[in-house]
Amino acid sequence: MSLRPVTSLSSAQPTLEGAGVHLHRAFGFQNPDQLDPFLLFDDFRNDRPEDFLAGFPWHPHRGIETITYVLNGTVEHGDSLGNEGTLGAGDVQWMTAGSGIMHQEMPKGNASGQMHGFQLWANLPSSLKMTAPRYQDVTSADIPEVIDDDGTKVRVIVGSFWGKTGPVDGIAADPQYLDISVPPGVKKTFPIDTYRQAFAYIFAGSGAFVDASRPRGVLLEKEVFGQELNIRDMSGNRTLVQFGTGDEVTVQAGPDGVRFLLISGAPIEEPVAWHGPIVMNTREELQIAFADLRNGTFIQPAH
């Protein structure tokens, strides 16, 4: 077994999206090769309803898949396929935009006005860019959870892990998407397929991802009253951790434990032409997509 080194640490950046939703973006719109097959990752965590209730009104997508994971509050959604519903705490929605879909997502806070969730964009290979759109809602109760003897807890959202398989399937990037909680003081190793691109996103507690070349690890301290701690080797919450090659990662949980997403997928390694919500392989395909939007032919007839 070989330990994946930590190659990069970065903080998710405050961003405005939709009709004025305040969120934090861990990556996206900069370098599409950075975490191929993943294009974008947003953390929409907020406790001020005025900062998220405007939501994400009707907008198009083509050429990608999105995975939305709600931790707190709800998200009401609808799309051009006629689907509509509400995602609650712990629920997941996977949407394949394929040839084109129009949809809206309207976050609502919980009883205390808090909202928290994540959205990940996964690329589609050229052979599936124009596939028929489809989507799947998965309730929290249907997501398997594994608890190890040391108290480590893993929710298996996509892929297989520790003998459990997540309910979301059919995603072209064939990702593994895990929500991991490691108890205080526990050191834990997690396997990752050698040929997958991988990243972790820390959103609660503190810990140290052990680096083969730096045994002390990289400490990630929890957010305290919204302020990031400026201490040597530490960074605040909402931290993206990228890894090099290898087949496992090891984390040492801090005094309050650590909770993070561990996401990996098989690189597509194709050209990316990207503008806003549409991701194709060439500029010509992008031009066709936006012409379809102007001409009212964006939504393709079912085959």
Side-chain angles (χ1 to χ4, degrees):
M1 304 292 283
S2 60
L3 187 67
R4 285 185 177 233
V6 175
T7 59
S8 175
L9 277 175
S10 57
S11 296
Q13 297 300 304
T15 305
L16 273 179
E17 273 296 349
V21 177
H22 293 250
L23 51 80
H24 283 73
R25 177 159 294 152
F27 63 88
F29 292 105
Q30 302 298 322
N31 176 11
D33 297 327
Q34 176 184 2
L35 285 165
D36 178 21
F38 307 114
L39 297 165
L40 175 147
F41 182 85
D42 283 344
D43 178 347
F44 50 97
R45 182 189 330 185
N46 212 305
D47 56 8
R48 288 167 43 92
E50 60 267 35
D51 286 344
F52 62 78
L53 285 178
F56 307 90
W58 292 99
H59 59 280
H61 282 295
R62 178 179 283 182
I64 64 169
E65 300 185 274
T66 65
I67 302 98
T68 304
Y69 179 29
V70 177
L71 290 184
N72 211 343
T74 61
V75 177
E76 297 177 358
H77 64 88
D79 62 40
S80 53
L81 301 177
N83 300 305
E84 58 183 28
T86 301
L87 296 174
D91 294 350
V92 174
Q93 182 192 82
W94 153 53
M95 181 189 74
T96 301
S99 61
I101 198 167
M102 301 289 293
H103 78 149
Q104 67 171 353
E105 300 156 301
M106 307 302 287
K108 309 292 181 184
N110 62 13
S112 301
Q114 298 168 322
M115 182 71 217
H116 191 191
F118 307 105
Q119 186 167 94
L120 175 69
W121 290 16
N123 200 6
L124 282 168
S126 56
S127 60
L128 294 175
K129 287 288 188 190
M130 297 299 286
T131 192
R134 54 192 176 126
Y135 97 124
Q136 176 183 358
D137 274 354
V138 177
T139 64
S140 180
D142 291 330
I143 296 174
E145 187 173 271
V146 191
I147 302 178
D148 206 4
D149 293 341
D150 59 13
T152 297
K153 183 189 303 181
V154 180
R155 298 193 84 213
V156 186
I157 296 166
V158 186
S160 296
F161 191 78
W162 285 355
K164 299 288 186 179
T165 299
V168 180
D169 60 10
I171 300 179
D174 190 26
Q176 185 180 63
Y177 190 134
L178 309 174
D179 177 355
I180 298 175
S181 300
V182 181
V186 171
K187 185 176 182 180
K188 199 71 177 175
T189 296
F190 302 94
I192 300 178
D193 187 290
T194 306
Y195 300 102
R196 290 171 172 262
Q197 185 83 266
F199 69 90
Y201 183 76
I202 293 84
F203 62 94
S206 62
F209 276 92
V210 179
D211 193 320
S213 61
R214 191 178 183 184
R216 290 184 61 220
V218 182
L219 299 184
L220 303 160
E221 181 64 17
K222 69 177 181 178
E223 196 171 55
V224 179
F225 303 116
Q227 300 298 314
E228 293 184 353
L229 298 179
N230 295 315
I231 301 175
R232 186 173 179 271
D233 285 342
M234 292 189 182
S235 57
N237 210 342
R238 301 185 177 97
T239 301
L240 174 71
V241 184
Q242 297 180 58
F243 303 102
T245 57
D247 50 21
E248 62 183 22
V249 298
T250 297
V251 65
Q252 171 72 58
D256 298 313
V258 63
R259 187 175 180 187
F260 60 98
L261 303 178
L262 183 60
I263 298 174
S264 60
I268 293 174
E269 298 179 337
E270 291 183 353
V272 173
W274 183 359
H275 186 79
I278 297 173
V279 184
M280 305 302 289
N281 293 107
T282 67
R283 291 193 61 80
E284 291 74 20
E285 290 169 339
L286 270 185
Q287 291 167 353
I288 291 170
F290 282 98
D292 286 342
L293 275 172
R294 292 191 300 270
N295 299 335
T297 55
F298 186 78
I299 304 302
Q300 303 289 312
H303 296 292

